[in-house]
Amino acid sequence: MKLTLIGGAGFRVPQVIEAVARSGPVDELALVDTDPGRLRTILDVAAQLPAARGLKLTAGTDLSEGLTGTDFVFCAIRVGGAAGRVADERVALDLGVLGQETTGPGGLAYALRTVPVMQQIARTVRAVAPQAWFVNFTNPAGIITESLRPILGDRVVGICDTPIGLMRRAAAAVGAGDRADSLRYDYVGLNHLGWLRTLEVDGVDRLPGLLASPELEGIEEARLVGLDWVRQLRALPNEYLFYYYCNREAVARIMAAPSTRGEFLALQQEQFYADASGRPDQALTLWQATKDQRESTYMAEARDEDEERGADDGEGGYQAVALDLMTALSGGKPTSAIVNVANLGTVPGLPEDAVVEVPCDVDADGIHRRPVMPLTGHMLGLVQSVKAVEQLTIRAATEHSANLAWEAFATHPLVGSVNLGRQLLDGYRRRIPGVAAVLD
């Protein structure tokens, strides 16, 4: 079986390579990227991964060639590169608004320049490998996945490891960590905006007990927004809801930091690729050190200065979720996952064609949505509001409409101002050529 990874020169690609090499069903992994220099560096890292030595690995810059004969496509690209992310954050922060990669106006700017590129990739996939499953990692994952459905239909699915990681941490906290993949649970929302509302072990919902217990302090998502607030919600929020529930604090902390997350990563990764290209024999060591620093500083603005990030769930992150999905769809062991798929009535109150993030069972016959309880109250209102903005953003990108983009920025819950929406739009058009090109 052949797997094609678009964005093959990305920093996290060695994690995917290692996971693929250990997973079994993949005979060939093709890396495709527009940057041949960084692609060579990733190949140097891969050559030093013990687990990857038996894997047939190819690499190149020709998309059609890399897609020929493929069965699955993983896609993780960053249109505009690290400089685009820096601008996404800084334009918003300069106006006193949250500057973050996927949440708020920065995520909308990222989507505006990414949707047209991803749709062109999808059209190439449809022409060259129409039977391939397309697994989207590219952020903002929900918006991008929804924008690809008119081209790829049900064969595109978006994934993120944050919701499944939340569920596994909760399962471990109630003593069912070794059974996490077989538990029944209710998780619902959009990408980077959802809640775990039940966690059944042997038919009994253990979440209320966890929320009332001292074990709750061990759940990082609960610490981010406060234990009392999580108990008030009677649900565990996705970690990105920190930016909604603690918005003022998040903006203040980001603005007080010496650099934004994008600025930090831009410098860090530029240094890594430069060092590794000059010392290819040490590429793996350099990559591992850079990765450890990257992971330890993730969402640092959400924690106190002396508070360390909680341990990873140990299940291998987003690449493990994607490979379990691929194995199940190709006829291997069935799995369950929280993924981004078309709503189709799963979440009442949202459009049928809206992409939502919900639990699904996956097997050789496809992806099957599990029933979830309806959203109510502020959860429903927030999801409806953000989904309306997401759909405006897709329309703005596909119709090349600056007015629709203005409406999206102005009506986002973290902006809430017509004049500020206009300033954001103007700032992104001035600062990011990709946004200007889409809307002009």
Side-chain angles (χ1 to χ4, degrees), residues 355-390:
V355 162
V356 295
E357 195 167 73
V358 293
C360 295
D361 294 314
V362 187
D363 56 30
D365 293 327
I367 301 172
H368 316 283
R369 299 155 187 78
R370 291 182 182 178
V372 295
M373 296 185 298
L375 283 165
T376 59
H378 89 274
M379 295 180 183
L380 175 61
L382 184 56
V383 166
Q384 287 178 324
S385 180
V386 172
K387 176 52 65 178
V389 167
E390 290 184 350

Side-chain angles (χ1 to χ4, degrees), residues 128-185:
V128 176
Q131 297 307 308
W133 281 93
F134 192 102
V135 182
N136 177 54
F137 304 148
T138 299
N139 277 323
I143 299 177
I144 299 304
T145 302
E146 186 166 329
S147 76
L148 300 183
R149 280 190 52 80
I151 301 168
L152 298 175
D154 290 337
R155 297 194 80 79
V156 60
V157 58
I159 67 164
C160 179
D161 61 343
T162 56
I164 201 72
L166 169 60
M167 186 278 294
R168 287 172 175 159
R169 283 185 283 278
V174 299
D178 58 339
R179 302 169 56 190
D181 290 340
S182 63
L183 299 180
R184 306 300 292 185
Y185 50 88

Side-chain angles (χ1 to χ4, degrees), residues 309-389:
R309 187 186 179 206
D312 187 80
D313 60 42
E315 295 297 326
Y318 77 100
Q319 66 273 8
V321 178
L323 289 170
D324 286 347
L325 199 72
M326 181 181 69
T327 299
L329 289 169
S330 59
K333 180 182 177 182
T335 191
S336 62
I338 301 171
V339 292
N340 289 267
V341 293
N343 184 27
L344 302 181
T346 307
V347 183
L350 291 179
E352 288 283 294
D353 62 345
V355 162
V356 295
E357 195 167 73
V358 293
C360 295
D361 294 314
V362 187
D363 56 30
D365 293 327
I367 301 172
H368 316 283
R369 299 155 187 78
R370 291 182 182 178
V372 295
M373 296 185 298
L375 283 165
T376 59
H378 89 274
M379 295 180 183
L380 175 61
L382 184 56
V383 166
Q384 287 178 324
S385 180
V386 172
K387 176 52 65 178
V389 167

Side-chain angles (χ1 to χ4, degrees), residues 76-82 84-85 88 101 110 113-114 138-139 294:
I77 66 171
R78 181 174 293 281
V79 177
R85 176 171 181 172
D88 291 339
E101 178 192 18
Y110 188 12
R113 66 179 182 273
T114 303
T138 299
N139 277 323
R294 173 188 177 123

Side-chain angles (χ1 to χ4, degrees), residues 287-302:
W287 176 81
Q288 186 64 57
T290 305
K291 180 176 78 74
D292 291 345
Q293 184 187 36
R294 173 188 177 123
E295 291 181 350
S296 68
T297 57
Y298 177 69
M299 283 190 74
E301 67 273 11

